[in-house]
Amino acid sequence: MRQFIEGLPKAELHIHIEGTLEPEHCLELANRNGIALQHNTPEAIVRSYDFNDLPSFLSAYYSGMQVLLTEQDFYDLTCRYFQKAASEGVVYAEVFFDPQAHTSRGVDFETVISGIHRAQKDARQELGIESGLIMCFLRDMSAESAMEHLHMSLPYKHWIIGVGLDSDERDNPPSKFAEVFIEARKHGFRLTMHCDVNQQDSLLHIRECLDQIGVDRIDHGVNVLEDEELCLDLVHRGIGLTVCPVSNHYVVQSFTSDEIRSLISKGVKVTVNSDDPAYFRAYINENFQVLAEEGDFSQQEIVQLTKNAFDIAWLSDDVKAVYLKKLENYVASFSSSVVI
Ligand code: ADE
Ligand code: ZN
């Protein structure tokens, strides 16, 4: 199974670029930028990670990204993610970034997006990996700040495929950002929002995503299984879920294999992703692997999850068909190469 997963051509749709900052790179950047850190070795940084819910993770995540200051820093960060992703068989990625987490520290929007965009261009040329960029708003900041950043992004809108919503969900429902997302839609952006696992109002937030925002996708969203009608609605509207097994494990002590299998059986387009791999210590293949082990998943189920990702990616039908064919060819050649 491990070999099968490693070779699968994959799409990753839920990956925060700031969540790919490895401890070694964090130390290198702190050194380059003359920033003092609390911990001085990669091991000490990893030991300091002690997450058991969303706020405890977010505190480490925002603290780590303080070392990102220049265009080159964002370029290097993004290049390293693409190198790792390409080595794991990712052929297409839709990458989140959190501009407010940088502008609030005095780093210009242009610095952030230019570095990320330059890395996307180089990754296409040098690694053959295609990607899209999704700008997330921080839901624990105001709707006014989100709107301001939406306007700030417009000169770069040809570099951005969609907008998302992340950070601390408690008391920050989708409806708080309804106007911002309506405006984003007018500018042609695709829409997604986090509905993290086991939040105070998970079901209400999923309902708002459908009825008030009209999202194209939901990030996480596994709690939808608790409401049959909501689940049917999701299937009916063809809205996919970008699920992150290892990230979920920190909150619910399970890789949510039962939930993922139920979602597949109900026809929900559920996908596997890594979320913040440098913090959760697992990139996409490890997410597939632990899921397959916990749920004793078949190769067919793994292929279904991979197909779903290309299906719900924000790509044209023609491009999707090319990726799906590549996937089909891989599965056929893997099966024929296995000696029974
Ligand atoms: N920011 C980075 N990762 C996140 C997640 N999984 N949920 C909410 N906000 C995030
Ligand atoms: Zn996330």
Side-chain angles (χ1 to χ4, degrees), residues 14-16 54 57 61 96 136 165-167 194 196 219-220 242 244 247 274-276 280:
H14 185 159
I15 174 87
H16 300 262
L54 185 54
F57 157 71
Y61 172 78
F96 294 133
C136 281
L165 186 69
D166 63 4
S167 203
H194 277 57
D196 266 88
D219 303 307
H220 299 292
T242 65
C244 310
S247 166
S274 66
D275 207 0
D276 300 284
F280 300 134

Side-chain angles (χ1 to χ4, degrees), residues 99-100 103-104 109 135 137 141-155 177 179-180 183:
Q100 289 157 293
T103 56
S104 60
F109 186 92
M135 176 173 68
F137 303 114
M141 293 185 75
S142 67
E144 290 71 29
S145 169
M147 189 66 98
E148 203 184 304
H149 282 75
L150 177 62
H151 291 146
M152 223 180 264
S153 76
L154 293 180
F177 297 92
E179 250 184 75
V180 181
E183 178 83 5

